[in-house]
Amino acid sequence: MRIAFWGTPQFARTVLGALFDAGRDVVCVITQPDRPKGRGRKLQPPPVKLLAEEHGVPVLQPEKPRGDEFVDALTVLAPDITVVAAYGHILKTEVLELPRLGSINVHASLLPELRGAAPINWAIIRGYEETGVTIMRMVEAMDAGPMLLKAAIKIAPDASAGTLTERLAELGGTTLLEALSFIESGRVQEQLQDDTKATFAPKLGPDEARIDWTLPAVEIERWIRGCDPAPAAWSQLGDLRVRLFRPQIADGDRVGEPGSVVRADAKSGLHVATGSGLLHIGEGQPSRKRRMDSSDWIRGRGIAEGQRFS
């Protein structure tokens, strides 16, 4: 089975790695173009590209995966099936139907729940106790195709989007290999999604990640974990934009207005009032500084009792 693999971030790299480890015939990798990153704004290749190059697999990086030139290049490679994992574009029908076995997707939720670009983030933010991966056949609509296989895992109480992504990527790789075996043997059974049960997980960017301190501590705690490491939950502290990480629900009633720093000492750490209850913040990252333990931040006089996040 000749596989054309589509993907971009670390999640996709892990899934691609599972294909390589299993000895699967990956004939090409399609990924996003290199993008400028960091303070120097130097072009950085996607994680998937680096792994493909290590294995000597051809890499295509179209700005948009469409048009005669791109379709011709993909046709020459003659894939039997397309596998997509966090690529970043909805593919057109002409591309989806090009391989003789069609196109399948590794989606990081238990469909039809959490369709969209950020299912891992929203699973944590919305307080899900369980999530998983779904291998589905792709159609020209967002995460709406028939399902081939599902696998579920429990979400740890302290999970961040980063740690949950790692677990789901590994699960996605093993579940994909199982689905490919079913397809090869003709044993796969496709199940239509119930669109009436669909929920959605829209993309989260920095503009959407600002913390609303009037919410209860339990909701803000999930929000911060669900945005860690990206897009990173943040708040204003005077003129500074500060990213916040490693939250814990703290004992005690709220003292002061939501967002007020009610305790800031190196021993007990940083405690902030919310709309209901107190929240301990384990790490902070002021603009242009490294991510640091809140005790170090306090020792450096970067934050003090009486200040207020907004």
Side-chain angles (χ1 to χ4, degrees):
M1 180 186 288
R2 294 170 59 83
I3 299 170
F5 184 86
W6 303 60
T8 302
Q10 184 61 44
F11 177 92
R13 178 188 170 112
T14 299
V15 175
L16 178 60
L19 293 175
F20 286 138
D21 290 345
R24 286 289 182 170
D25 185 12
V26 180
V27 297
C28 68
V29 164
I30 302 96
T31 188
Q32 298 275 354
D34 297 359
R35 305 292 188 194
K37 289 185 178 180
R39 293 184 181 179
R41 306 305 292 166
K42 293 183 179 179
L43 286 177
Q44 299 290 329
V48 162
K49 178 182 179 179
L50 296 174
L51 184 60
E53 290 178 339
E54 287 177 16
H55 287 264
V57 173
V59 177
L60 304 177
Q61 294 182 274
E63 193 66 45
K64 294 184 179 179
R66 63 190 67 168
D68 292 343
E69 183 178 349
F70 173 73
V71 173
D72 289 346
L74 190 57
T75 301
V76 168
L77 293 163
D80 295 311
I81 194 168
T82 278
V83 172
V84 179
Y87 171 61
H89 283 294
I90 294 177
L91 304 184
K92 295 293 185 181
T93 300
E94 63 175 348
V95 173
L96 294 175
E97 296 181 351
L98 190 151
R100 66 179 181 86
L101 296 174
S103 301
I104 60 175
N105 176 255
V106 183
H107 184 73
S109 80
L110 299 174
L111 292 171
E113 293 192 69
L114 298 173
R115 294 178 180 176
I120 300 172
N121 306 83
W122 287 106
I124 294 173
I125 291 168
R126 293 175 184 164
Y128 282 39
E129 295 182 355
E130 181 182 77
T131 188
V133 295
T134 304
I135 311 300
M136 67 169 190
R137 188 164 297 283
M138 298 181 70
V139 296
E140 200 173 343
M142 185 178 65
D143 303 325
M147 301 176 292
L148 281 63
L149 198 61
K150 287 184 179 183
I153 58 171
K154 297 293 185 182
I155 300 176
D158 61 348
S160 67
T163 59
L164 185 56
T165 295
E166 292 174 6
R167 294 181 63 204
L168 288 173
E170 293 176 0
L171 181 65
T174 57
T175 308
L176 170 63
L177 292 173
E178 188 176 358
L180 290 174
S181 295
F182 286 159
I183 292 170
E184 287 177 317
S185 65
R187 293 182 294 128
V188 68
Q189 294 184 348
E190 299 186 9
Q191 178 184 357
L192 294 177
Q193 294 189 44
D194 184 348
D195 291 341
T196 65
K197 294 182 179 179
T199 59
F200 297 92
K203 184 176 181 179
L204 272 174
D207 291 343
E208 293 82 25
R210 188 170 189 169
I211 297 169
D212 179 356
W213 293 100
T214 66
L215 294 174
V218 64
E219 293 186 29
I220 299 175
E221 189 265 350
R222 294 198 306 255
W223 182 262
I224 294 173
R225 287 190 293 112
C227 291
D228 179 5
W234 63 276
S235 193
Q236 286 292 135
L237 187 68
D239 295 333
L240 275 180
R241 175 181 286 203
V242 182
R243 296 173 174 177
L244 301 175
F245 307 96
R246 282 179 47 216
Q248 288 183 318
I249 306 298
D251 294 332
D253 296 326
R254 189 189 89 192
V255 179
E257 293 299 312
S260 299
V261 176
V262 299
R263 192 177 305 141
D265 64 75
K267 186 175 181 180
S268 62
L270 175 63
H271 292 74
V272 183
T274 72
S276 176
L278 292 177
L279 195 65
H280 176 269
I281 302 297
E283 291 182 343
Q285 185 180 16
S287 297
R288 301 183 181 278
K289 293 189 177 182
R290 64 176 177 84
R291 181 168 165 169
M292 68 184 79
D293 190 272
S294 62
S295 295
D296 293 335
W297 190 19
I298 293 164
R299 289 190 192 97
R301 299 184 180 181
I303 190 166
E305 185 175 329
Q307 291 183 288
R308 185 178 178 188
F309 290 104
S310 61

